[in-house]
Amino acid sequence: MLEIKNLHVKVGDKEILKGLNLSLAAGQVHAIMGPNGSGKSTLSYVLAGRAGYDITQGTITYNGEDLGALAPEARAAKGVFLAMQYPVEIPGVTTMMFLKSALNAQRRARGEKELDAIGVLKIVRQKAATLNVSEEMLKRALNVGFSGGEKKRLEILQMKLFEPKLAILDETDSGLDIDALKLVAEGVNSLRDPSRAMLVITHYQRLLDYIVPDRIHVLAKGKIVAEGGKELAKELEAKGYDQIIKDAA
Amino acid sequence: MTSAAVIALPTRRVEEWKYSDLRAALGDEGFGSGFARAALGPLPQGLECFYLDDANRPAWVTDVYGTLKSNTVSAVSLALAKGGVALRVRKNQAVEAVTLNFSGAGHVRALLVLEEGASLTLHESLSGSDTRNIGFEIVLGANAQLNHVRLSPAAGAAVQVEEVAITLARHARYHFHNAAFGSKLSRLEMYIALEGEGAEAHLTGVCVINNDHADITTRMHHAVAQTHSTQFFKKVAAGKSRAVYQGKVSVAVGADGVDSRQTAKAILLGSQAEADLKPELEILADDVKCAHGAAVGDLDADSLFYLRARGLSENEARNLLLHAFLEEAIPEMALGLVLDQVNDALERVSA
């Protein structure tokens, strides 16, 4: 589903990704682990199409299509979803109104029929219940005054609502206590599906106790330097990034 | 030949007119020799009306007409205007909404008197792309309450100027909302005198301009103790535009317990747009609470990306953010009256 070959990405004048290779098949959950500054967030932004993250070399192919050539909204309509590390606060736009606008924008782009307010509310309510997202939260301005846990739960709610084909979770575990972490992991696990691929980006092994990946890639200095099965996470935890990166070299 | 009336008009060398060069915008013609019109919608019960070009002005008109604080431009309209309208609501009468429409080119005057305990909702609208100078005086008696919504649509190459001068007696309350969409030069100047204890004035406004100019200049004078004012203005400027807010709050000697806030924010779309936001304080009393703030910025890149990554097109995302930005400064009383125009104007700047 996702094929990244020799990817080089510049942010401003600085090269952050320096020849990254990654292959992710439908039905698989892969984890990207790496120390701070290794390029994890850059990878997530470049996959979602953020302006200012320039591909200088290499390709990102998604279902046979050149992903790098598409606008962020076109990627969303084609099933790419990025759960962000820092969801933005947007005063003046209620969460419910945002969800309706986004869902209908995606449906419109795919040539599907738009849903009315009641139709959207019905779906949202049903998905929100399992994530402990209250009606009251949906009425508030998007992410404004939300706790860290509430913001991340809302990201997962959107993921359930949009039903993406490729879901990228950028440090979704950061700032979560253990209860919130379990809730988020349950949400992610409920979306595991043979037709869906997921890329879980994290600094810590902890999240991978709850979302067990099929494969782990270690990202350091803009490249994948080590790969392995789920046991690699334990090894990283025991030895630390420095040692694993040294071993790989 | 340049007439005396034109020479009396300010150039941009006058500090308060620094961002709005009235004389240059008008040229030698000035406001012309015509007379603009003031027209009323259906008269609700309890509202008295007198047309100023009629003979035999009643005492309630002559007592106050032309007495309120005026700038040089308003002095010119006072000297030259022939027509206009005077309105009165008598003591303790509550009157529903009335619409007051200004049209045509030239000078025109209006006067509104709310006697003690009276209340009214006024919907002021401007029509046509005519060069016009409106002078408006408002007198609010003790405990009177006025809700005033003003809609000033885009007026192309016209030069449109209005001065509203208001005086508030004890515990009078004034709520004002302005929705402005600009022209070659458009300016609303408000002089508000809080002259009775407990008087309150609350001003809000939104402005969306595209290759145009819109200036709101306010002077809020707290003459006595325990008076309260708030001002909250938001602007979106696109293309080669200039959005101006100058707000001067003054607190007189001994006016303790005054609470005054003013906030002005602008979003600029494109490198040619300009916003000049200038809140000012002049405080001569000791025990007051005064706050002011101003901010000019671009649309937030993080927010834009977030919305687009969730499927909204760039235009939809910009529109949603601009809409949210402005709606914060539109009070309930104005929503139904100005929202369509705000949406249309945003469509134009996002296109």
Side-chain angles (χ1 to χ4, degrees):
Chain A
M1 175 178 284
L2 181 70
E3 198 69 50
I4 305 175
K5 280 189 180 149
N6 188 33
L7 184 66
H8 292 252
V9 172
K10 265 190 174 175
V11 181
D13 286 337
K14 202 171 171 208
E15 186 169 63
I16 309 284
L17 298 183
K18 303 166 182 172
L20 185 142
N21 292 294
L22 186 82
S23 177
L24 176 59
Q28 298 256 300
V29 176
H30 287 202
I32 305 247
M33 299 187 70
N36 289 328
S38 56
K40 299 191 301 287
S41 282
T42 298
L43 176 62
S44 72
Y45 281 147
V46 82
L47 288 173
R50 179 156 199 170
Y53 292 73
D54 300 322
I55 300 174
T56 53
Q57 237 190 94
T59 53
I60 308 171
T61 313
Y62 167 70
N63 286 333
E65 199 170 1
D66 176 13
L67 195 66
L70 299 176
E73 58 270 29
R75 301 181 198 205
K78 286 177 188 289
V80 177
F81 177 84
L82 168 63
M84 297 200 198
Q85 186 179 2
Y86 303 110
V88 297
E89 299 184 2
I90 305 187
V93 178
T94 68
T95 303
M96 193 59 213
M97 181 196 162
F98 159 73
L99 293 176
K100 176 171 176 270
S101 305
L103 186 63
N104 278 332
Q106 292 190 23
R107 294 179 68 95
R108 210 160 46 236
R110 289 194 293 261
E112 295 164 15
K113 198 171 168 288
E114 290 185 40
L115 299 171
D116 61 16
I118 294 167
V120 176
L121 186 65
K122 231 169 117 179
I123 304 177
V124 170
R125 269 193 187 140
Q126 177 206 339
K127 313 253 176 195
T130 55
L131 282 165
N132 255 346
V133 172
S134 64
E135 295 267 331
E136 187 267 331
M137 248 173 93
L138 297 170
K139 283 180 193 151
R140 272 148 62 186
L142 182 60
N143 288 320
V144 177
F146 285 26
S147 70
E150 285 175 328
K151 285 180 184 172
K152 296 300 170 74
R153 265 150 48 204
L154 189 65
E155 292 292 285
I156 303 305
L157 170 63
Q158 291 177 58
M159 187 167 133
K160 294 183 84 154
L161 188 64
F162 303 146
E163 301 180 322
K165 294 276 165 256
L166 170 64
I168 305 140
L169 292 97
D170 186 9
E171 308 224 7
T172 298
D173 49 334
S174 69
L176 293 187
D177 62 28
I178 197 73
D179 292 338
L181 186 73
K182 280 185 183 168
L183 210 61
V184 164
E186 276 167 26
V188 173
N189 287 329
S190 73
L191 284 165
R192 281 184 177 235
D193 185 282
S195 68
R196 181 172 291 132
M198 293 198 225
L199 199 56
V200 179
I201 297 173
T202 181
H203 185 99
Y204 300 105
Q205 168 267 337
R206 190 178 70 155
L207 178 66
L208 304 182
D209 288 341
Y210 300 96
I211 304 172
V212 180
D214 298 298
R215 196 144 185 87
I216 294 175
H217 312 260
V218 179
L219 179 63
K221 293 184 179 144
K223 281 181 172 180
I224 302 294
V225 294
E227 288 187 90
K230 59 177 188 260
E231 63 290 344
L232 184 57
K234 299 278 181 216
E235 205 184 326
L236 270 169
E237 188 79 357
K239 291 186 178 174
Y241 281 114
D242 282 350
Q243 193 57 47
I244 295 280
I245 294 164
K246 240 179 249 166
D247 291 353
Chain B
M1 202 190 75
T2 310
S3 69
V6 171
I7 289 168
L9 297 173
T11 64
R12 61 189 302 253
R13 283 193 293 277
V14 179
E15 179 65 21
E16 303 90 86
W17 291 85
K18 189 176 159 191
Y19 305 112
S20 300
D21 192 345
L22 185 62
R23 184 97 69 88
L26 283 169
D28 286 345
E29 299 288 305
F31 285 99
S33 53
F35 298 105
R37 293 175 300 277
L40 291 166
L43 267 193
Q45 199 161 19
L47 185 67
E48 260 175 278
C49 159
F50 176 83
Y51 284 95
L52 293 167
D53 45 6
D54 287 349
N56 302 322
R57 289 183 182 174
W60 66 267
V61 174
T62 53
D63 283 353
V64 283
Y65 184 75
T67 63
L68 265 61
K69 172 85 183 182
S70 47
N71 62 19
T72 47
V73 183
S74 148
V76 169
S77 79
L78 192 62
L80 297 182
K82 284 230 167 69
V85 69
L87 298 167
R88 172 167 72 157
V89 180
R90 289 195 193 222
K91 191 173 172 179
N92 293 331
Q93 294 244 30
V95 175
E96 299 286 306
V98 67
T99 60
L100 171 59
N101 178 262
F102 292 104
S103 62
H107 301 281
V108 66
R109 298 289 303 187
L111 169 70
L112 171 63
V113 177
L114 297 196
E115 292 184 351
E116 185 180 337
S119 64
L120 175 70
T121 294
L122 176 71
H123 298 157
E124 176 187 347
S125 63
L126 312 182
S127 13
S129 297
D130 302 292
T131 286
R132 187 185 304 134
N133 180 23
I134 303 168
F136 197 167
E137 294 167 279
I138 299 176
V139 179
L140 302 183
N143 293 305
Q145 182 171 352
L146 177 62
N147 291 335
H148 182 184
V149 179
R150 177 181 182 269
L151 182 61
S152 150
V159 175
Q160 298 191 335
V161 179
E162 176 169 356
E163 188 205 47
V164 182
I166 306 163
T167 172
L168 289 87
R170 194 170 41 82
H171 292 292
R173 272 171 298 162
Y174 178 59
H175 288 265
F176 174 74
H177 181 73
N178 187 48
F181 302 95
S183 70
K184 178 184 173 189
L185 186 151
S186 88
R187 164 144 160 153
L188 171 66
E189 182 163 334
M190 305 188 80
Y191 179 79
I192 298 162
L194 299 159
E195 295 186 330
E197 281 200 10
E200 285 178 30
H202 303 282
L203 317 180
T204 56
V206 293
C207 165
V208 185
I209 48 174
N210 194 13
N211 296 316
D212 269 326
H213 169 279
D215 173 343
I216 181 160
T217 293
T218 67
R219 288 174 293 157
M220 181 75 70
H221 183 59
H222 292 261
V224 297
Q226 309 301 332
T227 46
H228 181 195
S229 70
T230 59
Q231 301 182 56
F232 188 32
F233 291 98
K234 289 202 162 184
K235 297 158 189 301
V236 172
K240 207 168 153 32
S241 284
R242 173 176 253 177
V244 181
Y245 167 76
Q246 304 181 99
K248 185 169 184 177
V249 170
S250 55
V251 181
V253 175
D256 291 341
V258 161
D259 191 343
S260 165
R261 284 148 223 265
Q262 47 178 337
T263 305
K265 291 182 179 176
I267 288 182
L268 303 181
L269 303 175
S271 57
Q272 300 221 77
E274 178 178 329
D276 302 290
L277 310 179
K278 211 174 82 178
E280 258 186 282
L281 289 172
E282 184 186 277
I283 301 173
L284 303 176
D286 299 323
D287 174 25
V288 299
K289 270 197 286 187
C290 289
H292 65 73
V296 181
D298 301 321
L299 266 182
D300 180 49
D302 289 336
S303 304
L304 265 180
F305 170 65
Y306 187 85
L307 294 174
R308 293 182 69 190
R310 299 296 144 92
L312 274 71
S313 72
E314 192 173 359
N315 266 350
E316 289 168 331
R318 283 159 63 106
N319 211 295
L320 189 71
L321 291 174
L322 292 174
H323 190 97
F325 170 75
L326 292 174
E327 203 169 299
E328 227 191 343
I330 308 177
E332 191 77 36
M333 68 168 186
L335 264 182
L337 295 162
V338 306
L339 207 53
D340 284 350
Q341 274 84 354
V342 168
N343 286 337
D344 289 351
L346 285 180
E347 289 286 330
R348 286 196 295 274
V349 299
S350 307

